[in-house]
Amino acid sequence: KFNKLCDSYSPEIRDALILAKDEFYKIANEFKNINIRYRSKEIGLEYFDSSGPRNKVLGLVGIYPERAMIAFGIEGWEKLIISKDILKKIKSFPRSVKNEKQIIVLVKLLKDALIKVKNI
């Protein structure tokens, strides 16, 4: 369904959305507490936090192919205690998907943030 929702865009945006989906799967395989969140209108990454008395799932980022949008779970990132510099980059990252180059920058930003988090 994700790929079908991407078909209504220009090839540049469609390819970027599909790249994002593929890269999210790679990130989920690379980091042990990161899972794919796949809903009818979104694919995203979430962190499974088992450190407290109750397990929590923290939404980190989602791609919405219907609107070609990126959404960040800022609260999730704040709970992971990432650096202020990386959090600032996440907060200022463009929300509209434009091209594959933008997705490559997004993936690097996500990996840089996750590498520095304990228990991942």
Side-chain angles (χ1 to χ4, degrees), residues 35-71:
N35 300 311
I36 291 290
R37 178 179 62 224
Y38 199 35
R39 299 197 175 122
S40 62
K41 295 184 180 186
E42 172 207 18
I43 187 165
L45 295 174
E46 57 190 18
Y47 174 76
F48 182 74
D49 182 9
S50 59
S51 63
R54 285 188 231 137
N55 294 338
K56 294 179 184 173
V57 176
L58 306 173
L60 300 178
V61 63
I63 298 282
Y64 295 83
E66 211 168 42
R67 296 176 289 162
M69 297 292 292
I70 302 168

Side-chain angles (χ1 to χ4, degrees), residues 92-103:
S92 65
F93 197 85
R95 299 299 195 249
S96 295
V97 175
K98 298 197 180 2
N99 54 43
E100 289 184 354
K101 182 179 177 184
Q102 176 195 24
I103 298 303

